[in-house]
Amino acid sequence: MDKLTVVLLFGGRSSEHSISCATAGGVLAALDPERYTVIPVGITRDGAYVLEDNDPAKFVLNAQALPVVADNGTRVRWPQSASSRELTVIDTSGERSLGSVDLIFPILHGPFGEDGTIQGMLDLLDLPYVGSGVLASALGMDKHFAKTVFQQAALPVAPWRTLTADDWAQAPGMGYAALEQLGLPAFVKPARAGSSVGVSRVGTPDQLAEAMAVGLAEDNKVLIESGLVGRELEVAVLQGRPGESTRASVAGEVVVTGRDFYDFAAKYLDAPGVELVCPAPLSAAELTEVQRLAIAAFEAIGGAGLARVDFFLTATGWVINEINTMPGFTSISMFPTCWLASGYTYPELIDELISVAIAHARHGS
Ligand SMILES: Nc1ncnc2c1ncn2[C@@H]1O[C@H](COP(=O)(O)OP(=O)(O)O)[C@@H](O)[C@H]1O
Ligand SMILES: [Mg+2]
């Protein structure tokens, strides 16, 4: 394969800005400079595109100082029409070319990155990219619509009600009625967020108001969902090459012991009380079933590239919690860990994501 020029796009306007930076650090470190020319493009919290340093160490995640894309004054400019793939950068010395780009690797989580918006912009520019397109990204981002599609595809989901900020302001009784129907405990979560930001466990009705306020601070639409009791397991999905079938990894388990649930601190700040176990102990039949469901969920939303599908294993069987079309994949994250246990090293996984995207772009699929 000829050397490919890949734009690594990270940071962004969502609350998961720093997680995206941390993943970008991992990917930067894994991309073989013999095979790829990498252009790291950071998106500041304000949405400016800046040329970043190709320095993985800059983006290490730790609780004291979360990595960010700072505005360094440069501006990366996208091609001026769909017939060009040339990127330029404007800095103190003027505007210069960054060369012609083969592929964009948008490692962005949350709104304005994982939700179809950046994918739409890249489609307008005719730039191929890693991961799901506009519709699948938008569906995966919105827990209400993803669950609606899963339900339509006869996939098991937890019962839920969706309330808008207006519903809650004008008729809070709707929320309390939903809680009564769904039972306690319940989970309140923003429809479009991630990393457990804005998610609360509601154990008694008097905790609903606070939970709604926390959820509505992230989005103007929240889900109230029946609390499930069971194990939490996740399966990583990779799209096949053109004409080949979707692949599912072994399952990883999030073992929560000392905490209420798998919250932000546990996910990213190494807070105690949560352990990731991969491969998770499952019977062959359980694994086959969860892999089938993971692939079905990916295909139900029309996913491309990659996804992580999250489940609960309850006393009555598997329930899909959510699909993430751009899962975190710092080297310790569940997505690469699941693939490591299924035969791909971290750099091989990154290569595969790039190869699949290029193959589909060339194939026109
Ligand atoms: N219905 C539920 N029952 C039990 N636990 C839940 C439920 N919904 C969410 N949780 C807990 O909250 C965490 C975050 O919720 P999730 O829906 O996965 O949102 P996010 O997109 O922020 O990851 C889950 O990993 C799980 O620990
Ligand atoms: Mg989750």
Side-chain angles (χ1 to χ4, degrees), residues 158-197:
W160 87 101
R161 297 282 180 285
T162 301
L163 262 72
T164 64
D166 281 349
D167 292 336
W168 178 245
Q170 285 158 22
M174 284 172 69
Y176 290 97
L179 205 59
E180 204 159 301
Q181 283 168 5
L182 296 166
L184 291 168
F187 277 76
V188 171
K189 37 182 141 171
R192 294 158 294 196
S195 297
S196 300
V197 175

Side-chain angles (χ1 to χ4, degrees), residues 35 42 68 151 171 199 228 248 273 278 280 283-284 299 320 333 335:
R35 300 181 58 192
V68 293
Q151 213 172 36
V199 177
L228 295 176
C278 188
S283 70
E299 293 177 351
I320 298 182
S333 302
F335 182 85

Side-chain angles (χ1 to χ4, degrees), residues 143 187 189 194-196 199 225-228 232 261-262 267 312 321-322:
K143 290 186 166 70
F187 277 76
K189 37 182 141 171
S195 297
S196 300
V199 177
E225 202 174 272
S226 290
L228 295 176
E232 246 186 289
F261 64 95
Y262 191 26
K267 280 183 180 172
F312 294 101
N321 180 32
E322 61 163 339

